[in-house]
Amino acid sequence: VQLQASGGGLVQAGGSLRLSCVASENILSINLMGWYRQAPGKERELVAHITSGGTITYYIDSVKGRFTMSRDGAKNSLDLQMNSLQPEDTGVYYCNAQRLTTRGRFWFWGQGTQVTVSS
């Protein structure tokens, strides 16, 4: 699976950004898709993910109520709407896809897009 992410940028605290990830395959057939982020000097962390059936959506506590993920099956895209951004949201955001097979779990990453929130 190839993933192409876009939409990062510089925004003031309280502002909004929308990230988009376009997959090379039907996203509804991918077991798990989501967004991770990595702040300077920190490990990459999960922000949100969704199962292929859309029945399970997970957000980390720090973004609940501010970030919303949505899918467009026709465009094979997974978007992340980020509102009320805070400086601690700064980092490189990565689109992620995971396939679960009998041979194991396979991970795929987009190239990352920078989000910078100024105070």
Side-chain angles (χ1 to χ4, degrees):
V1 181
Q2 294 182 331
L3 303 170
Q4 182 71 37
S6 62
L10 172 64
V11 66
Q12 289 187 333
S16 298
L17 284 173
R18 187 177 185 89
L19 306 183
S20 183
C21 173
V22 178
S24 59
E25 301 179 18
N26 181 2
I27 63 170
L28 301 183
S29 71
I30 299 173
N31 298 102
L32 202 62
M33 284 197 72
W35 290 90
Y36 284 69
R37 67 186 179 188
Q38 187 166 18
K42 294 187 177 181
E43 293 186 354
R44 192 174 298 187
E45 66 172 351
L46 171 66
V47 176
H49 67 207
I50 186 169
T51 56
S52 57
T55 55
I56 300 175
T57 305
Y58 170 83
Y59 297 89
I60 57 173
D61 287 344
S62 62
V63 308
K64 285 180 180 177
R66 300 188 297 121
F67 290 12
T68 304
M69 206 164 46
S70 60
R71 299 184 303 177
D72 187 331
K75 298 179 180 179
N76 286 331
S77 66
L78 178 73
D79 289 357
L80 184 68
Q81 177 66 43
M82 305 184 295
N83 298 328
S84 301
L85 284 162
Q86 300 300 317
E88 52 265 33
D89 295 316
T90 293
V92 179
Y93 283 66
Y94 297 91
C95 182
N96 170 260
Q98 296 176 38
R99 284 202 185 280
L100 308 179
T101 75
T102 56
R103 294 174 294 142
R105 182 188 297 255
F106 293 86
W107 295 66
F108 304 90
W109 296 97
Q111 81 281 15
T113 183
Q114 178 70 45
V115 171
T116 303
V117 185
S118 63
S119 57

